[in-house]
Amino acid sequence: MAHVEFLDQTIRDGQQSLWGMRLQAGMALPAASWLDKTGFRVIDLTGSNHFEVLIRHCRENPWDMMDALVEAMPRTVLRSGMRSNASVTFRTTPDALMDAWMRQLNVHGARSFWIYDVLFNIDKMLRLAKVAKEFGSEVAGAIMFTLSPVHSDAYYADKVDKLSASDDIDTILLYDTAGVLEKERLSTLLPAIVSKARGKPIEFHANNILGQSGKAYLDSIPLGATILHTASRPMANGPSVPSTESVVANIELLGHTHSLDKSLFAPVADHFERVGKAAGFLVNQHNEYNVLSTLHQIPGGMVGTLKAQLAQHNMSDRFEDVLKEVAVVRRELGYPGMATPFSQLVGIQAVLNVVKGERYAIIPDEIVEYAAGYYGETVAPIDPNVLDRIMESPRAKEVLDNPPEQPTIEELRKRYGTDNDDELILRALMPESDLQKMREAGPLKRTYPLLSSPELEEVGRLMKLASLPVVQFKNAEMALTLRR
């Protein structure tokens, strides 16, 4: 039997997958002390895309949000995630700005990081890990899993070997964005990873898109995984990770141990369920098994984006066609792993192909950059005919004549007109117009209006059932009459 540690994903992956990154400080702060006392090894807090959404859509300063949550959870190590070569953009970001971002996340209290690169630019991952180590932070080197003919166990074992050889990498994180890992593949993949991990702990993160990740978690424990990523039940499952409640109950039945205080599960779940319903966000999700998902492997958070893009063209009925086209585009582009940015790039190209009615009639600049190697070496060769279409596209010459630049931090500070690196990062992320609207919104809001209650929910259920024009509801505290 094993002792299993838990990493909480409620306020990072849970809200990313279900709420589109729109979690604000006031939505999480009332539950922060319960999360902090539960006994999680680490609580995942934020990522770069969260910064963008907070500024653009929520008008909230992400540094203020981060400071408030760090202050509210002093007992637990808090994590942030970083792509090795980019911030929120689907394109690449100068190394100096990435280093500055890593430093500022540490300055604001993050002490654990997961660093990933879908094309495994190991040198860039390790450079950022070294910056984190300036602050004594923990670093997880991420192995972004995807199914393809070229992503073999040996392929992943080689990447683990290169990461674990560095003293700046503390754990190895097996990250299954599409939730496709089953026992058969785990039984060979995890031993291959463990054999090259040099004794470093193995984390496992699997989004429950196919409804099978909870079982994969249980299968992974005898194979060497010791840290599982879960979320509070309302923020779990569906496109998110399995629920803490279910995984804890199952490992106990199997005789494994943990260090979580289960009495705190309910208040956390109750809070996020109420917030989600008040905000009109998804909670308590469940997915059915779909073989098509194993082909396109689109992360859960992207499904809504693709549907929205089709709706803009009055082509919502073509959604399944887009999913099938994603699988084809992914193969033609050399099987990039389906995580940011490549899940978005493949998805956008697939939408364009379907909407235009001609494949590769429009090719985004980022696809040209990918084909040119700006993101790193492709896992498999790009289909020659598709590569020709890309390099002959109208924008190709201009893109190729302007490769990514690498300014120094001093040059970046001068360019954006500030010596404050918090401000530098915000200005590099977002247009000044969005930052101005964020500032005009005022100070951080530490609560969120819960326009919901058990009584109102009961009234809502009664209204759906009642055929008469009047509904009356009474309890010890209130009497309510509703007329249609």
Side-chain angles (χ1 to χ4, degrees), residues 28-46:
L29 281 170
S33 63
W34 294 320
L35 283 170
D36 190 38
K37 296 172 184 175
T38 300
F40 292 107
R41 184 182 191 274
V42 173
I43 293 174
D44 204 352
L45 185 63
T46 190

Side-chain angles (χ1 to χ4, degrees), residues 15-279:
Q15 65 100 3
Q16 178 177 353
S17 296
L18 301 180
W19 295 3
M21 284 290 194
R22 281 169 167 73
L23 178 135
Q24 301 165 52
M27 295 174 169
L29 281 170
S33 63
W34 294 320
L35 283 170
D36 190 38
K37 296 172 184 175
T38 300
F40 292 107
R41 184 182 191 274
V42 173
I43 293 174
D44 204 352
L45 185 63
T46 190
S48 59
N49 291 90
H50 192 195
F51 272 48
E52 178 193 22
V53 172
L54 282 172
I55 297 168
R56 176 168 287 158
H57 298 288
C58 305
R59 308 303 184 197
E60 183 165 286
N61 188 315
W63 294 122
D64 292 346
M65 177 217 69
M66 187 170 177
D67 290 343
L69 287 170
V70 167
E71 181 182 10
M73 295 186 285
R75 302 181 180 203
T76 312
V77 175
L78 303 179
R79 173 172 285 189
S80 185
M82 298 193 76
R83 194 169 114 221
S84 80
N85 58 1
S87 50
V88 299
T89 175
F90 295 152
R91 310 180 86 166
T92 56
T93 298
D95 292 347
L97 187 61
M98 296 302 299
D99 292 349
W101 193 321
M102 174 61 83
R103 290 193 177 93
Q104 294 312 110
L105 288 168
N106 277 275
V107 167
H108 284 270
R111 283 296 179 270
S112 178
F113 295 87
W114 68 284
I115 303 174
Y116 80 98
D117 189 310
V118 180
L119 295 183
F120 291 101
N121 292 286
I122 302 290
D123 56 337
K124 290 182 178 290
M125 296 175 70
L126 295 182
R127 191 195 75 251
L128 285 172
K130 190 170 292 294
V131 175
K133 286 301 176 184
E134 294 174 9
F135 298 83
S137 292
E138 172 191 72
V139 177
I143 300 298
M144 306 302 289
F145 181 80
T146 189
L147 287 174
S148 88
V150 293
H151 287 88
S152 64
D153 293 349
Y155 174 88
Y156 287 118
D158 174 67
K159 307 309 179 187
V160 173
D161 190 35
K162 290 180 170 65
L163 287 170
S164 68
S166 170
D167 292 337
D168 296 328
I169 298 296
D170 301 291
T171 67
I172 299 297
L173 167 57
L174 174 58
Y175 203 114
D176 181 10
T177 57
V180 294
L181 277 169
E182 298 179 274
K183 185 173 184 178
E184 182 178 2
R185 184 65 187 275
L186 280 169
S187 65
T188 59
L189 176 65
L190 267 175
I193 288 174
V194 170
S195 71
K196 298 295 184 181
R198 293 178 170 83
K200 296 181 178 182
I202 306 298
E203 304 183 29
F204 189 19
H205 179 117
N207 292 85
N208 199 33
I209 294 171
L210 294 176
Q212 64 183 14
S213 294
K215 173 65 163 54
Y217 277 8
L218 302 181
D219 293 334
S220 75
I221 297 171
L223 297 169
T226 59
I227 304 166
L228 301 179
H229 292 206
T230 59
S232 179
R233 179 166 278 134
M235 309 298 290
N237 300 311
S240 180
V241 290
S243 73
T244 307
E245 291 88 340
S246 66
V247 177
V248 165
N250 285 329
I251 70 163
E252 288 180 346
L253 287 170
L254 293 175
H256 304 303
T257 60
H258 62 86
S259 299
L260 300 185
D261 183 347
K262 295 191 294 184
S263 70
L264 297 175
F265 292 176
V268 171
D270 290 345
H271 170 78
F272 281 104
E273 183 171 16
R274 293 179 66 200
V275 169
K277 289 181 177 179

Side-chain angles (χ1 to χ4, degrees), residues 414-432:
K414 183 177 180 180
R415 179 182 301 177
Y416 291 103
T418 180
D419 289 327
N420 180 317
D421 282 355
D422 278 1
E423 185 66 17
L424 167 65
I425 289 164
L426 297 185
R427 293 182 186 181
L429 279 179
M430 302 297 296
E432 180 58 34

